[in-house]
Amino acid sequence: MVTADGYRLAKRSVTLPVPAESEADVLIPAQSLRIMAKVCEGPVQLMVPAEKAQVYVRAGDTMVVSQKIEGQYVDYQRIIPRVWNTRAVFDVGEMVEAVRLAALFSDDKFYRIALHLEPSSETAGRIAVSATSAQMGSHDSEIVAKVEGSGLRFKLNALYLRDALNALPDGEAVFEVTAATCPVVLKPANSDDLLHVIMPLSYEHYDMEAVA
């Protein structure tokens, strides 16, 4: 399952308890998915009739019907970076707290915060998180991280980063970055089933679909 806007992308893969009868690519409105998540409990069955313009989700006695969106989805595989120059492994809970505090000092328009991935040959590396606003002043914090590659500093929207972090399981997660102006990959340290891509704020008007 993949969703994206002009600034971020999320991809989630799950293993089906029962193999699907056939493959299908379908576009479903985000509002329909939110309704499904609210009203459906327990195991669900997704039905995508090829000859119809609807998809059906059944959970027990509940049935949700949604219109399909016609057309082709953006080639999201081209958006996801395949290589990195800097990689940092960190604790999700510690990063959530650091981002929460920095967001309080970020500018009002883009909630801009800076992250500095700093490797160290002698001790553990670190991720420095900072923000500055004319009204609130500045904030700096850091967390311990295992950083590979060269040091790198980039800026992200704190709310986008918070949303992505909150979707991750507890434990360790990974930043993978090629350059300060390139998409940032965020995912669990030991799994590729969940992945987020966030555009840096130096490109706040950048459209992900332009690279597909």
Side-chain angles (χ1 to χ4, degrees):
M1 182 180 295
V2 177
T3 184
D5 55 24
Y7 309 97
R8 49 186 172 169
L9 175 149
K11 175 186 175 184
R12 178 67 183 267
S13 301
V14 297
T15 301
L16 298 176
V18 178
E21 295 180 359
S22 61
E23 292 187 6
D25 292 324
V26 59
L27 301 182
I28 303 176
Q31 180 63 21
S32 296
L33 292 174
R34 284 191 285 267
I35 293 173
M36 293 174 188
K38 287 182 179 180
V39 303
C40 295
E41 296 182 357
V44 300
Q45 181 183 14
L46 174 65
M47 294 164 283
V48 188
E51 70 279 3
K52 294 187 177 182
Q54 293 85 24
V55 296
Y56 304 84
V57 172
R58 175 180 292 157
D61 296 330
T62 302
M63 173 77 78
V64 179
V65 181
S66 172
Q67 290 292 119
K68 298 178 185 177
I69 298 176
E70 297 297 328
Q72 295 293 319
Y73 200 58
V74 60
D75 185 2
Y76 68 89
Q77 296 287 1
R78 296 182 58 186
I79 297 171
I80 301 173
R82 302 299 176 187
V83 297
W84 52 266
N85 291 328
T86 305
R87 185 176 192 268
V89 180
F90 57 90
D91 180 81
V92 172
E94 293 181 0
M95 180 59 72
V96 167
E97 181 64 12
V99 171
R100 184 188 70 81
L101 293 173
L104 299 175
F105 293 82
S106 60
D107 63 86
D108 293 334
K109 187 175 182 181
F110 294 114
Y111 295 95
R112 191 188 319 265
I113 63 172
L115 291 92
H116 189 185
L117 313 186
E118 302 179 57
S120 175
S121 57
E122 298 180 358
T123 60
R126 67 172 189 159
I127 300 177
V129 183
S130 61
T132 302
S133 72
Q135 294 77 23
M136 298 294 294
S138 62
H139 170 80
D140 297 276
S141 62
E142 62 180 57
I143 65 172
V144 175
K146 179 182 178 182
V147 182
E148 303 175 59
S150 56
L152 184 64
R153 188 174 186 270
F154 53 91
K155 296 181 179 181
L156 296 178
N157 181 300
L159 303 188
Y160 293 170
L161 179 55
R162 182 200 62 189
D163 289 347
L165 289 167
N166 286 337
L168 297 178
D170 294 337
E172 292 187 327
V174 176
F175 282 130
E176 293 179 351
V177 196
T178 303
T181 56
C182 292
V184 177
V185 172
L186 172 62
K187 62 183 181 179
N190 299 314
S191 173
D192 292 324
D193 291 342
L194 178 60
L195 179 145
H196 296 270
V197 178
I198 307 173
M199 290 305 304
L201 273 179
S202 55
Y203 276 63
E204 56 246 12
H205 300 299
Y206 183 93
D207 188 347
M208 281 188 170
E209 295 187 7
V211 305

